[in-house]
Amino acid sequence: MLGVTVLEVPQWQGSGSRGAYRLRQGASALVGLFPAGQRVRVDTDGQPADSRDGVAALDTLAANLSAVRAAHANARARGRTVVTVGGDCGVDLAPIEAAVAAHGDRLTVVWFDAHGDLNTPASSPSGAFHGMVLRALLGDGPRELAPAKALRPDQVVLAGVRALDLGERAFVAEHRIRHVAAAGLANPSVLVDEVAATGAGCVYLHIDLDVLDPEVFGAVGTPEPGGLTLEQLITAVRDLASRFTIAGLCLAEYEPQDDGDREVLTGLSAALASVMDDDAADGTAQEVERLAARA
């Protein structure tokens, strides 16, 4: 992927999963699957930390945010597009913040995730920031993890989300956030139409691997049944890329379990690489199709 920097962000403290420590290994494994012109490992704090103001490890997450902001800005200053690899979903705060700064009202964020990540410190049952990051990006989060400019609710489309807390459901309804359920993604045009309805000129793709059905891919901390197949996710990404400019993307929440994880991840990362690089080899595309057909 010429002109693309892949940022490895091994942050795990934003996760409430029992296996959160494995996110560090997950980030390292994921970054190696991308044929990047340049890979950068962000130096994050690897230690656990106390909760504060309703957020687990708040001070550590704030320090990590500063590090990701600096690394992302350095890559962008050299004219490079950025792919962010986590780590927990909280690693995507700085990249989406940067996309908002670069594209303004033309940007729509497509949130591929089993969860809405729309809690606040007051509403979160766990205090884990990975369940709050989208709400923080919408301007309603801890001060230490606030974006420079918030997204508007009409700049967000939830995709494949199927586990919302009561407060999150109320927030989605009140703010009329667009939501394409997993079943709706069986018809790829539904998601494209919802994104087009936002007036988007470009799209940022946030992909939490738990958007996939656990029978397809279960190496995540908070699996939820009723998710996407690999083919559905790849098709959705490709269709969005054929219609809109991709402003950036993030892949997060991989907790390695066994070698069987890698086949699904190889297919997905190849598809994402092809989206980011129009010159992807024909052989890569064929490999993606083979793996997607097997999922």
Side-chain angles (χ1 to χ4, degrees):
M1 294 188 295
L2 297 176
V4 175
T5 291
V6 180
L7 291 186
E8 175 190 349
V9 189
Q11 174 178 286
W12 60 272
Q13 296 93 335
S15 172
S17 165
R18 291 183 179 180
Y21 279 96
R22 294 201 297 267
L23 292 170
R24 298 176 296 179
Q25 289 74 39
S28 178
L30 285 173
V31 76
L33 296 175
F34 286 91
Q38 182 184 12
R39 297 187 180 95
V40 175
R41 188 177 192 274
V42 180
D43 186 16
T44 57
D45 189 332
Q47 299 302 311
D50 294 334
S51 296
R52 183 165 65 80
D53 298 336
V55 181
L58 177 58
D59 294 329
T60 295
L61 296 175
N64 290 348
L65 175 59
S66 294
V68 178
R69 279 173 169 157
H72 197 283
N74 185 50
R76 293 289 296 171
R78 288 175 294 150
R80 301 181 71 86
T81 301
V82 180
V83 171
T84 305
V85 172
D88 64 67
C89 284
V91 305
D92 216 9
L93 198 155
I96 293 177
E97 173 187 62
V100 172
H103 301 287
D105 292 343
R106 297 181 60 249
L107 179 73
T108 292
V109 174
V110 179
W111 199 263
F112 287 102
D113 202 312
H115 309 87
D117 299 348
L118 287 166
N119 273 302
T120 66
S123 70
S124 171
S126 67
F129 184 66
H130 73 166
M132 310 180 203
V133 60
L134 183 53
R135 187 70 169 264
L137 284 160
L138 288 163
D140 193 8
R143 175 180 54 82
E144 294 87 345
L145 302 175
K149 181 180 179 181
L151 284 167
R152 300 189 316 272
D154 62 1
Q155 289 181 280
V156 174
V157 178
L158 303 177
V161 171
R162 53 199 183 274
L164 290 169
D165 294 329
L166 289 177
E168 293 179 303
R169 290 184 183 278
F171 184 83
V172 169
E174 178 184 355
H175 295 277
R176 299 182 179 180
I177 294 176
R178 291 177 170 85
H179 180 196
V180 180
L185 289 165
N187 180 353
S189 66
V190 173
L191 179 59
V192 172
D193 290 347
E194 287 290 343
V195 174
T198 70
C202 56
V203 171
Y204 186 98
L205 303 175
H206 169 91
I207 303 174
D208 181 331
L209 287 163
D210 69 15
V211 75
L212 294 168
D213 190 87
E215 293 195 7
V216 174
F217 185 81
V220 295
T222 51
E224 296 287 346
L228 305 186
T229 66
L230 179 60
E231 183 178 10
Q232 286 175 326
L233 179 56
I234 288 174
T235 299
V237 168
R238 284 178 169 169
D239 286 357
L240 288 169
S242 71
R243 177 76 177 268
F244 307 99
T245 299
I246 301 301
L249 67 87
C250 175
L251 191 61
E253 299 281 352
Y254 173 37
E255 295 187 10
Q257 295 180 4
D258 56 54
D259 292 341
D261 305 341
R262 294 296 186 93
E263 187 168 15
V264 171
L265 293 175
T266 298
L268 178 57
S269 61
L272 298 179
S274 71
V275 163
M276 303 304 291
D277 184 0
D278 291 336
D279 296 326
D282 290 342
T284 297
Q286 292 168 3
E287 176 69 357
V288 170
E289 291 168 2
R290 181 186 72 83
L291 291 168
R294 290 180 59 180

